[in-house]
Amino acid sequence: MSKYYQQDIETASREEILAIQNEKIAKQVKRVYENVPYYRDLMDKKGVKPEDIHSVEDIQKLPFLTKSDLREAYPYGLLGCDLKDCVRIQSTSGTTGKRVVAFYTQSDVDLWEECCARAIVAAGGSNEDVCQVCYGYGLFTGGPGLNGGSHKVGCLTLPMSSGNTERQIQFMMDLGSTIICCTPSYAAYIGETLAAMGYKPEDNKLKAGIFGAEPWTEEMRQSIQKSLGIKAYDIYGLTEISGPGVAFECEAQTGMHINEDHFYAEVINPETGEVLPEGEKGELVFTCLDKVGFPMLRYRTRDICVLTREKCSCGRTHVKMTKPMGRSDDMLIIRGVNVFPSQIETVLLNEGYTPNYQILVDRVNNSDTLDINVELAPEQFTDKIRDIQAREKALEGAMRSMLGIGPKIHLLAPGSVVRSEGKAVRVIDKRKLHD
Ligand code: DLL
């Protein structure tokens, strides 16, 4: 059983990867310039011609694309080829504004599924595995992407989609699933349900989980690994760039390898657009080197992370990204202080609480308020009000030292916070509703 799905490219030298990227970028920019009038206009406004782009170093000359360009060009304005050559659309789960609709040719689907296959093999998958895919199927890319990757690897694929947790568990147990793919919040819920049904972590055959689509902390990883008795791998991606598998974690669990033979990554200063050197934190920007249907060039993801080319013990040579440290637009500014939901999750799990929480932000009398509802585990629950109040105070103190501002903590009875089967809604910012 190989450690790699496509060993040659996954372990190619830096020079080989650069040569591949350089060869692809010139062709890709020319194709986009000829086929996508919207991007041609942006290039013309910036005074850049396809002939100016010879290598990935020249990418910096190209204009950025942002979510608002996608909105403006909706639905067909950024299509990269004839519609008759496209075989699929996928779309984001966004609830506000227009959804992102991305187009795929058959070669785009193949490339995307290969990226997911690399992720599954990196998590130890082979044709001997039973891979249970419980990301949502449909317009969301999670289910279709991992489903395709699982087929490519030759796993027995269980296309469960999300939800119906007891049925998920029945299939997992009866068919002996060895790999599970879903959001980390759903994995936590499945772990909790297994325990409630009387199963111990060693009772299932799972060995690995491939979890992504939402931010999750190292503490959450430890908690899921323990409750399911598995190794938990991170996977990253976004609809605009294809879906899951843009980057994936290997056995080292120290960041995600970006599939940089297909996606060229930059990190920029989100304020100025300046490209930052390796190791500096900023906004991740992707250029699709191969994609035909929806060929994003310099797409600003709004995800904040750091890139590193440090040698990885797994033998893969592709650049690694850290877990996104929250999106630039996920950051809450509360009474002038920047707060990331991931900081709150870290404190909760470190202090021994469940990952079942919700963050409520509001504005009362012109002052921001921060309330955190946290569910107690059954063994923590007590009807002694004083004990609960003392715990709330202690947790408020721990939060204050991490965040720099003090929230109001509400410890709730087990089962009171709504569980997530897909992307968890962790933050309710009521200020946005008033504004
Ligand atoms: O969430 C694609 C996906 C499906 C990735 C399944 C992994 C697994 P979108 O719905 O377009 O696509 O949302 C993309 O989700 O810009 C990040 O902000 C966030 N995100 C995705 N993966 C991770 C991750 C899919 N591993 C947006 N960690 C991205 C943190 C993630 N955030």
Side-chain angles (χ1 to χ4, degrees):
M1 186 183 102
S2 171
K3 266 176 70 174
Y4 312 103
Y5 180 66
Q6 289 164 321
Q7 181 162 2
D8 288 354
I9 187 66
E10 290 180 66
T11 61
S13 69
R14 192 71 230 116
E15 295 70 41
E16 285 170 307
I17 293 173
L18 261 177
I20 292 170
Q21 292 176 328
N22 288 340
E23 195 200 317
K24 289 181 175 179
I25 188 66
K27 283 192 201 142
Q28 179 73 332
V29 172
K30 184 165 181 289
R31 185 164 58 197
V32 171
Y33 191 84
E34 284 166 4
N35 292 333
V36 187
Y38 188 97
Y39 199 75
R40 178 161 66 232
D41 285 350
L42 292 181
M43 281 178 64
D44 288 345
K45 277 195 199 113
K46 221 172 170 236
V48 199
K49 294 276 170 241
E51 305 78 76
D52 299 328
I53 311 296
H54 306 285
S55 73
V56 284
E57 283 193 1
D58 298 323
I59 280 186
Q60 296 195 24
K61 297 177 189 162
L62 293 170
F64 291 117
L65 277 173
T66 63
K67 194 99 160 186
S68 66
D69 289 307
L70 263 58
R71 249 179 244 132
E72 207 169 304
Y74 174 91
Y76 290 123
L78 286 160
L79 185 65
C81 61
D82 276 355
L83 205 51
K84 70 174 169 33
D85 295 326
C86 291
V87 297
R88 172 100 67 88
I89 68 149
Q90 300 285 163
S91 178
T92 55
S93 44
T95 45
T96 51
K98 288 211 175 89
R99 286 165 168 266
V100 170
V101 173
F103 301 87
Y104 301 70
T105 62
Q106 186 57 50
S107 72
D108 294 335
V109 173
D110 286 335
L111 173 160
W112 172 31
E113 292 180 350
E114 275 169 20
C115 290
C116 290
R118 289 181 192 176
I120 293 171
V121 174
S126 74
N127 59 4
E128 295 184 13
D129 280 290
V130 178
C131 181
Q132 180 160 347
V133 183
C134 20
Y135 285 111
Y137 279 62
L139 289 171
F140 177 53
T141 54
L146 270 307
N147 188 91
S150 175
H151 276 226
K152 288 235 185 303
V153 175
C155 304
L156 175 65
T157 309
L158 311 191
M160 302 295 297
S161 196
S162 60
N164 204 336
T165 307
E166 300 213 345
R167 187 182 63 189
Q168 300 275 3
I169 289 174
Q170 189 186 349
F171 272 82
M172 177 192 293
M173 291 305 191
D174 293 352
L175 298 177
S177 304
T178 53
I179 298 180
I180 181 165
C181 310
C182 61
T183 57
S185 53
Y186 194 39
Y189 180 36
I190 291 176
E192 185 187 356
T193 312
L194 272 170
M197 289 167 81
Y199 289 113
K200 294 196 201 58
E202 58 275 18
D203 293 339
N204 70 64
K205 288 220 172 72
L206 291 174
K207 62 178 185 188
I210 304 179
F211 305 131
E214 65 184 6
W216 55 309
T217 56
E218 273 308 313
E219 290 75 14
M220 183 79 156
R221 189 207 301 268
Q222 300 308 328
S223 158
I224 295 172
Q225 292 194 149
K226 214 163 123 204
S227 71
L228 291 176
I230 58 169
K231 194 158 169 172
Y233 296 83
D234 203 351
I235 184 165
Y236 168 88
L238 58 165
T239 315
E240 296 88 321
I241 305 301
S242 67
V246 171
F248 63 87
E249 219 170 35
C250 62
E251 71 222 24
Q253 292 181 311
T254 51
M256 294 177 271
H257 291 281
I258 295 174
N259 282 309
E260 54 177 342
D261 51 326
H262 299 308
F263 312 113
Y264 182 79
E266 301 168 273
V267 161
I268 61 162
N269 175 330
E271 311 293 330
T272 62
E274 172 208 1
V275 177
L276 298 175
E278 180 191 333
E280 282 194 28
K281 183 161 116 183
E283 180 180 347
L284 191 56
V285 173
F286 282 112
T287 294
C288 299
L289 297 171
D290 297 284
K291 274 179 59 201
V292 179
F294 205 59
M296 295 285 100
L297 301 183
R298 294 201 98 196
Y299 181 66
R300 291 184 59 160
T301 63
R302 296 188 290 181
D303 291 321
I304 304 293
C305 77
V306 175
L307 296 181
T308 165
R309 293 198 179 280
E310 263 170 45
K311 198 166 185 289
C312 186
S313 57
C314 77
R316 288 178 186 78
T317 46
H318 292 204
V319 65
K320 286 205 290 197
M321 60 179 275
T322 55
K323 268 181 180 301
M325 300 160 188
R327 293 169 73 99
S328 43
D329 51 356
D330 260 2
M331 188 181 76
L332 297 161
I333 303 181
I334 302 170
R335 285 174 246 141
V337 178
N338 298 350
V339 173
F340 282 101
S342 60
Q343 297 174 300
I344 292 176
E345 184 173 295
T346 298
V347 175
L348 287 179
L349 294 176
N350 276 339
E351 298 291 316
Y353 289 95
T354 67
N356 302 316
Y357 63 94
Q358 202 153 40
I359 302 165
L360 308 160
V361 188
D362 204 348
R363 186 170 292 139
V364 180
N365 298 331
N366 287 322
S367 173
D368 295 333
T369 58
L370 171 62
D371 289 68
I372 309 174
N373 289 337
V374 185
E375 199 180 290
L376 290 163
E379 64 277 13
Q380 292 169 325
F381 190 59
T382 160
D383 50 10
K384 293 193 187 115
I385 303 271
R386 263 176 208 220
D387 289 358
I388 299 273
Q389 284 171 339
R391 274 180 165 272
E392 287 175 340
K393 281 275 155 301
L395 190 51
E396 282 167 8
M399 286 288 174
R400 190 174 300 109
S401 39
M402 167 70 112
L403 308 176
I405 54 163
K408 180 99 195 69
I409 301 281
H410 308 271
L411 293 177
L412 307 178
S416 3
V417 172
V418 171
R419 299 294 187 271
S420 145
E421 296 171 347
K423 292 187 193 239
V425 180
R426 300 287 196 196
V427 181
I428 298 178
D429 192 343
K430 293 200 189 141
R431 297 174 302 182
K432 290 192 181 143
L433 303 175
H434 307 321
D435 289 344

